[in-house]
Amino acid sequence: MSLLKVIVLAIVQGLAELLPVSSSAHVVVTEKLLGLDPSSPPMTLLLVMLHTGTMVAVIAYFWPQWRGSYFQSGAAFRAFAWQVATFCTAVIGAGIVKIIERTLWRNVPQAEIEDLFGHLEFIAPALAAAGVLIIIAGLFERRHPVGALSPAHDLNTQRAGVIGAVQGLCLPFRGFSRSGATISTGLLLGVAKSRAEAFSFALAVVLTPPVVAREALRLLRAAHAGGADLRSAALASVLGAVVAFLAGLLALRWLSRWLEGGRWYWFGVYCLLAAGAVALLHRAGY
C-alpha cells in the first residue's frame, strides 16, 4: 500500500469519524475506489491505528470540558461511569450482532458481522436513515432552541439510557453514523447542544477501546493464519494515525461550529446525497 493511499484513508477516516456522516461508509467506499482489500491484515492494522488516532483527537479536544465535569471530583466520575454502565449500548449492539450472525449466516462457519461491512447495498440505506434523523433533529432544535445549560436540559438517567440504546443500534450497521445518531437523539430529547456533543464523544472514547481490541484480535488471527509480516505496514500505520489525529481535530472544530450555529441539519442533507452516491456505486459494480 502506497503512502499516498495511507494518507488519503487517514484523512477520510479522521474527518468522517468525527463528523456525523459515518466514517465506516466513507472508508469502505474509499477502499473500493482505491482497489484495497479491507479484510487483509495490513488494512486491518491501518484501521486500528486510524481509530486510535481519532480517539486521541477526541480526548485532546474535549479534555478541558470533561475535566470540569466528569473528572472534577470522584463523585462526578462515578456518576458518569454509572450512567455509562446503565446504557443499553453493549446489550443492544451485541444482541443485534448475534441475531444477524445466527440468522443470515447460520450455515456459514466462522461468519462474523464484519462480513457485511463491505456491502454497499446495506450502507446506502443506513446512510439515508442517519440523514433523515439528523435533518429531523436539526430542524427540531432550530424551532425549539435550548438556551444556557440548566437542570431541565441536562442529562438524566433516562435521557442517557435512550442515547446509549441508540448508540447500540448504530454498532452493527455501517453507514448509520454513531455521532450523528447520538447527538441527534440528545437534541430531540431537549439536551443542550454542547452537552449532547460532549457526552456523545465521551461515549465514543468509552466505546472505542473495545472496538479497537476486537479489530486487533481479528488482526492477530488473520496474521497467524496467513503468516503475514506486518512490519512493513507498521510505519505507514503510525503515519496514518498522526494524519487521522490532525484531521480529527479539524473535523471536531467544524462540527462544533455547525452545531452551535444551527446548521446541524446540513450534515443530514449530506448523508442523503452520500447515500445516493453509494447506491450508484453499487449499481456500477463496486
Side-chain angles (χ1 to χ4, degrees):
M1 190 188 329
S2 68
L3 287 180
L4 178 59
K5 291 183 178 180
V6 170
I7 292 173
V8 169
L9 277 175
I11 293 174
V12 171
Q13 168 70 23
L15 290 175
E17 175 75 14
L18 302 178
L19 293 175
V21 296
S22 178
S23 65
S24 53
H26 285 73
V27 169
V28 168
V29 170
T30 303
E31 288 170 346
K32 288 181 176 292
L33 293 176
L34 293 177
L36 300 173
D37 178 10
S39 63
S40 67
M43 276 300 304
T44 304
L45 173 61
L46 175 61
L47 292 179
V48 167
M49 294 301 294
L50 296 186
H51 276 98
T52 302
T54 52
M55 181 180 67
V56 174
V58 169
I59 294 173
Y61 186 82
F62 285 105
W63 178 250
Q65 186 173 349
W66 291 346
R67 184 175 54 191
S69 54
Y70 305 133
F71 298 97
Q72 62 180 345
S73 66
F77 177 76
R78 286 191 296 272
F80 169 68
W82 177 77
Q83 285 183 330
V84 173
T86 61
F87 283 170
C88 303
T89 297
V91 175
I92 293 179
I96 294 176
V97 167
K98 291 301 181 184
I99 290 173
I100 292 175
E101 290 178 347
R102 293 181 180 180
T103 54
L104 294 181
W105 292 294
R106 58 182 179 276
N107 297 321
V108 181
Q110 299 180 338
E112 294 180 318
I113 190 67
E114 285 79 8
D115 296 332
L116 276 180
F117 291 173
H119 290 260
L120 299 187
E121 66 270 31
F122 299 132
I123 291 176
L127 266 171
V132 170
L133 177 60
I134 292 170
I135 290 173
I136 292 173
L139 296 178
F140 175 85
E141 194 281 328
R142 284 173 66 91
R143 295 179 180 179
H144 305 85
V146 175
L149 186 63
S150 67
H153 300 125
D154 202 354
L155 277 164
N156 54 28
T157 303
Q158 182 178 7
R159 289 169 176 164
V162 173
I163 293 173
V166 170
Q167 179 170 257
L169 294 174
C170 298
L171 299 184
F173 301 110
R174 289 300 187 263
F176 197 71
S177 168
R178 188 211 64 83
S179 62
T182 53
I183 294 175
S184 293
T185 300
L187 296 179
L188 291 171
L189 293 174
V191 178
K193 290 182 288 188
S194 59
R195 180 69 157 164
E197 179 190 20
F199 193 68
S200 171
F201 284 106
L203 293 183
V205 169
V206 174
L207 179 67
T208 300
V211 173
V212 169
R214 177 182 171 91
E215 290 299 314
L217 180 60
R218 292 181 66 244
L219 169 65
L220 292 175
R221 289 174 178 171
H224 179 73
D229 183 3
L230 299 175
R231 287 176 294 182
S232 59
L235 181 59
S237 297
V238 172
L239 172 63
V242 173
V243 175
F245 168 80
L246 297 175
L249 289 179
L250 176 63
L252 286 169
R253 292 182 182 276
W254 181 0
L255 184 149
S256 295
R257 286 199 302 267
W258 276 32
L259 181 61
E260 292 300 326
R263 289 174 285 177
W264 176 253
Y265 66 94
W266 281 111
F267 288 120
V269 174
Y270 173 83
C271 285
L272 291 179
L273 295 174
V278 170
L280 290 176
L281 286 173
H282 172 62
R283 292 189 63 181
Y286 284 93

